[in-house]
Amino acid sequence: MPSRFHTIIEPFRIKTVEPIRHTTRAERETALRAAGYNLFLLKAEDVLIDLLTDSGTGAMSSNQWSGMMQGDESYAGARSFYRFEATAREITGYAQIIPTHQGRAAERILFANTCRKGDVVPNNTHFDTTRANLEALGVTAVDLRCPEGMQPQLVAPFKGNIDLAALEKTLTENRDRVPFAMITVTNNSGGGQPVSLANIRGARNLCHRHGIPLFLDACRFAENAWFIKQRETGCADRTPAAIAREMFGYADGCTMSAKKDGMANIGGFLALNDATLAAKCKNTLVLTEGFPTYGGLAGYDLEAIAVGLREALDEDYLRYRIRSVAYLGDKLTAGGVPIIQPPGGHAIYIDARAMLPHIPPEEFPAWALSLVLYLEGGVRSVEIGSVMFGHQPDGTEKPAAMELVRLAFPRRVYTQSHVDYLAEVILHVHSLRRRIRGLRLVDAPPLLRHFTARLAPVHNALLALQD
Ligand code: F0G
């Protein structure tokens, strides 16, 4: 990094391009209606800038593509597996590396071999699939976000932390019913906020005092390590890799979606030290994912992940990545848009409850906002609010803790002009905010309903003609 110049550039040049397509507002209105007012049900080619997720949507590097050409597709004992295993071992320090087709498969396999009906699993904040996989087994998933994490506008360095006092209480009150605790880095559903080394260490000490293991949900471990480098005392001169290794070292294992900080389009793994538990997990793996040296992945996927895991820890890349998100955050903050502060690692989260106080939670303010961002600017985001989390396992409805719209950045895909356009669209929608109206559910499955639910505007239109 040249010290003389301050502009943070994309640390790559573009070798392959994929066109994106402008649509008219009328076309988007028709597309929305056809999709049952659910952005998941749109055709991707009707989206101009797709910030639905940072999962599996990144651009791979020329090194990843050349690694893929060397993929060994042997059913058992493929060279690609050993390359993948060596990298994952080196980065995490865990002895047992079990490949899976994505993160939720690692979760399901771990949970199936550790949890019983009636158990309780604490986490700083469970991601939706993590929660759903636990609830499907009759386990109660409890979110123990630290108090700062509950205040969207508050600027604090580690708002992703788990509440250690609440963790202690949960462990004490549910003796013999907590098979393990988890910490999600960064805390995705909590605003992409980082977790400090001190907090992971504190959780480890509590868990070990209670005789239970701690697992990391490590999807965005590299981004978390970067924030620690920037914000935690004594870490400024350490490499992201060394910090990541310390994070992993406090836990007994991790679940990982390589679609995030693995820089791959598909893949994941479960990693742990306990050989007995690993043997059980591998048996489950064979049933549904595949033989333990490929776990539902092609040899070339394992190669892409082996290269990608290292690239995710590159300092120039992390500096550019975190800065692009903060750049959008700065523009929105300057324009008065309420977002979770400070900006997260992989995404900006608009606080729809603050922006649209006239829409009650039963009419899904964050969902409405995400639809209007698409309608006005062709931008696809995702609601993290009461459509995603409002339906309780006992069949009742309860408003989510926050009503958020997440704009997640695919890795190495969009450039600064895309971000400038995004800021323009969001500020325009912000100027229309009093005209935005809510929605009601028309049809929804009981689990993970946001993926397939169909909705309708409560007042026939998403935007009223006037305030
Ligand atoms: N844990 C976290 C924190 C996640 O963000 C995700 C996925 C998973 C687990 C599951 O991994 O998709 O590979 O099965 N998050 C994506 C997102 C889908 O959009 O945030 P997966």
Side-chain angles (χ1 to χ4, degrees):
M1 166 80 180
S3 54
R4 212 192 138 97
F5 302 112
H6 298 295
T7 309
I8 296 173
I9 60 168
E10 285 87 0
F12 49 78
R13 50 188 182 174
I14 296 166
K15 196 183 300 239
T16 307
V17 296
E18 183 184 9
I20 51 177
R21 194 172 70 93
H22 281 278
T23 48
T24 63
R25 192 177 185 285
E27 283 169 339
R28 293 193 292 274
E29 198 160 7
T30 308
L32 268 184
R33 206 169 300 126
Y37 294 93
N38 184 337
L39 297 177
F40 279 102
L41 304 181
L42 286 176
K43 288 193 176 130
E45 61 181 12
D46 291 336
V47 175
L48 183 63
I49 304 228
D50 203 345
L51 305 184
L52 182 69
T53 178
D54 64 323
S55 181
T57 50
M60 286 207 293
S61 66
S62 48
N63 276 336
Q64 284 177 293
W65 284 110
S66 68
M68 287 178 79
M69 291 306 291
Q70 296 174 46
D72 175 353
E73 304 304 337
S74 304
Y75 189 92
R79 192 176 54 240
S80 300
F81 169 74
Y82 293 111
R83 210 172 277 160
F84 159 84
E85 184 191 44
T87 308
R89 244 186 213 152
E90 188 188 313
I91 287 174
T92 65
Y94 301 130
Q96 305 283 335
I97 308 289
I98 303 173
T100 58
H101 80 276
Q102 59 183 80
R104 67 198 70 183
E107 292 163 11
R108 191 185 62 81
I109 290 167
L110 174 66
F111 302 165
N113 285 287
T114 48
C115 297
R116 287 168 314 183
K117 195 170 173 8
D119 279 351
V120 173
V121 171
N123 195 327
N124 45 351
T125 313
H126 291 85
F127 181 65
D128 58 353
T129 60
T130 322
R131 169 175 289 279
N133 268 301
L134 288 167
E135 288 175 354
L137 293 171
V139 176
T140 304
V142 290
D143 289 344
L144 304 176
R145 196 179 325 179
C146 67
E148 306 93 274
M150 304 299 285
Q151 299 175 57
Q153 311 298 323
L154 178 81
V155 176
F158 291 107
K159 290 172 76 176
N161 282 353
I162 193 164
D163 182 335
L164 292 174
L167 177 62
E168 166 93 86
K169 190 158 176 273
T170 305
L171 297 181
T172 309
E173 287 176 358
N174 297 283
R175 219 170 272 286
D176 301 326
R177 290 208 302 149
V178 183
F180 56 85
M182 282 189 101
I183 293 189
T184 305
V185 293
T186 56
N187 187 347
N188 182 8
S189 310
Q193 301 293 318
V195 179
S196 69
L197 283 173
N199 188 252
I200 304 176
R201 190 164 48 230
R204 188 275 311 262
N205 291 343
L206 281 177
C207 288
H208 286 198
R209 203 172 325 126
H210 285 262
I212 63 158
L214 173 68
F215 282 88
L216 293 185
D217 176 339
C219 298
R220 299 178 181 84
F221 73 96
E223 292 168 8
N224 200 78
W226 180 257
F227 281 120
I228 289 174
K229 181 175 166 68
Q230 305 304 309
R231 298 180 185 174
E232 194 155 355
T233 313
C235 292
D237 296 329
R238 301 179 65 192
T239 63
I243 294 168
R245 187 64 188 258
E246 184 175 342
M247 283 159 45
F248 286 115
Y250 292 131
D252 300 279
C254 72
T255 55
M256 173 73 192
S257 168
K259 301 171 75 171
K260 285 88 172 173
D261 281 349
M263 302 287 233
N265 298 126
I266 196 71
F269 57 86
L270 169 63
L272 66 168
N273 284 327
D274 179 340
T276 315
L277 176 57
K280 284 200 224 161
C281 291
K282 284 181 196 171
N283 287 336
T284 315
L285 184 84
V286 173
L287 277 183
T288 55
E289 293 279 302
F291 190 73
T293 62
Y294 73 88
L297 295 170
Y300 55 68
D301 294 323
L302 295 167
E303 294 281 351
I305 299 167
V307 177
L309 283 170
R310 288 190 204 285
E311 290 182 351
L313 287 164
D314 178 81
E315 293 198 21
D316 283 342
Y317 158 73
L318 283 168
R319 183 179 294 110
Y320 136 78
R321 168 134 180 99
I322 302 301
R323 179 59 203 146
S324 339
V325 177
Y327 175 74
L328 178 61
D330 291 349
K331 285 184 170 245
L332 299 185
T333 305
V337 179
I339 62 167
I340 293 197
Q341 299 287 1
H346 64 301
I348 289 292
Y349 295 70
I350 303 176
D351 181 350
R353 188 170 287 161
M355 185 164 158
L356 307 172
H358 58 286
I359 305 183
E362 312 79 73
E363 294 181 9
F364 310 122
W367 192 273
L369 176 59
S370 71
L371 295 178
V372 177
L373 288 171
Y374 174 72
L375 181 67
E376 294 296 316
V379 173
R380 178 154 69 169
S381 54
V382 73
E383 185 246 29
I384 302 191
S386 292
V387 176
M388 187 181 274
F389 288 127
H391 189 77
Q392 305 304 304
D394 64 6
T396 58
E397 290 286 321
K398 188 172 127 208
M402 298 199 224
E403 299 290 343
L404 303 174
V405 171
R406 184 188 74 173
L407 301 139
F409 282 50
R411 291 169 180 74
R412 305 187 290 209
V413 168
Y414 295 116
T415 62
Q416 186 170 345
S417 65
H418 293 111
V419 181
D420 288 332
Y421 171 82
L422 278 168
E424 211 182 323
V425 171
I426 299 165
L427 292 173
H428 164 70
V429 169
H430 186 240
S431 74
L432 304 176
R433 64 191 179 279
R434 289 185 196 85
R435 290 173 46 205
I436 300 177
R437 297 292 179 262
L439 293 109
R440 63 186 165 81
L441 282 165
V442 174
D443 186 23
L447 271 185
L448 295 175
R449 66 183 179 186
H450 51 289
F451 290 131
T452 54
R454 300 185 83 84
L455 293 93
V458 175
H459 303 283
N460 292 323
L462 286 174
L463 280 176
L465 290 177
Q466 46 197 308
D467 292 3

